[in-house]
Amino acid sequence: MINKLKPDQYYQDVFLIDFDLLKKQGIKGVICDIDNTIVPWSEEEILQEIIDWFSEIKDRGFQICLVSNGTAKRVNYFSEKLDLPAFGQAVKPAGKAFRKAQTVMALNSSEIVVIGDQLFTDVFGGNRMGFVTILVDPMNSREFFTTRIMRLLERMFFKRGEEK
Ligand SMILES: [Mg+2]
């Protein structure tokens, strides 16, 4: 069981994931967790950066499916907002919702990557399915907003630097 808890790749957040590398590894489909992976826990606002991130992945030819242990209501909300197929009440690490997502994408297990913030649900469940697994740090709201402010500041400084 221990080695099934090991993610294949780890990144601090989803924006750092190397999709060129995934493409080289034969990945064609992305199964993404929702809470604390793309949206801070219990929040409903989706950042423009996340919307752009998904469209970039789509443009690169990857299929995307959301699989979440959240309520059907919450998951359907994000499914509509992001225009992505989604399976809620997934009871990860159980395989049922993962299999549904795999069926929708019509891909082999080795062609799918699971992205999530939890070892016992996303990583363990994904590894058991034979998917490639990526762990990211959970976006708890406070940390998340600090990061946003830091990025905003970085951007301001870069802009100033460029203007000189
Ligand atoms: Mg999560």
Side-chain angles (χ1 to χ4, degrees):
M1 182 185 156
I2 288 295
N3 59 354
K4 291 264 191 295
L5 282 169
K6 233 180 104 184
D8 293 303
Q9 299 172 30
Y10 158 79
Y11 295 95
Q12 249 178 324
D13 63 46
V14 294
F15 303 113
L16 298 171
I17 295 171
D18 184 351
F19 281 90
D20 292 329
L21 175 69
L22 290 174
K23 196 151 236 179
K24 275 185 212 144
Q25 292 174 331
I27 299 299
K28 294 174 179 167
V30 176
I31 293 178
C32 194
D33 173 49
I34 296 177
D35 284 305
N36 267 337
T37 296
I38 56 163
V39 187
W41 182 254
S42 86
E43 287 200 25
E44 298 221 325
E45 187 209 355
I46 306 170
L47 288 181
Q48 189 56 46
E49 286 104 310
I50 290 289
I51 296 168
D52 295 344
W53 179 73
F54 276 123
S55 38
E56 220 178 281
I57 301 169
K58 260 192 211 171
D59 289 348
R60 290 193 189 193
F62 291 93
Q63 296 187 62
I64 311 164
C65 227
L66 303 172
V67 171
S68 165
N69 284 355
T71 62
K73 191 181 166 215
R74 181 164 168 81
V75 172
N76 289 339
Y77 167 82
F78 289 111
S79 173
E80 272 174 37
K81 280 251 171 179
L82 293 163
D83 191 25
L84 294 172
F87 299 97
Q89 289 171 311
V91 212
K92 289 179 281 186
K96 197 176 167 192
F98 281 138
R99 276 191 289 276
K100 282 185 189 167
Q102 181 170 14
T103 305
V104 164
M105 297 195 279
L107 295 173
N108 297 320
S109 295
S110 61
E111 296 172 318
I112 295 172
V113 66
V114 175
I115 302 168
D117 68 297
Q118 289 197 309
L119 278 180
F120 285 97
T121 57
D122 308 301
V123 172
F124 182 59
N127 281 340
R128 279 207 312 187
M129 291 290 297
F131 300 153
V132 171
T133 51
I134 295 183
L135 181 73
V136 294
D137 285 341
M139 276 176 149
N140 85 51
S141 309
R142 207 177 53 200
E143 259 174 55
F144 180 64
F145 285 106
T146 316
T147 309
R148 275 192 84 188
I149 290 162
M150 291 305 287
R151 286 216 176 107
L152 201 71
L153 287 172
E154 273 171 14
R155 238 174 271 158
M156 281 167 57
F157 280 110
F158 275 124
K159 235 179 226 162
R160 269 190 211 140
E162 282 160 13
E163 279 162 12
K164 273 176 197 166

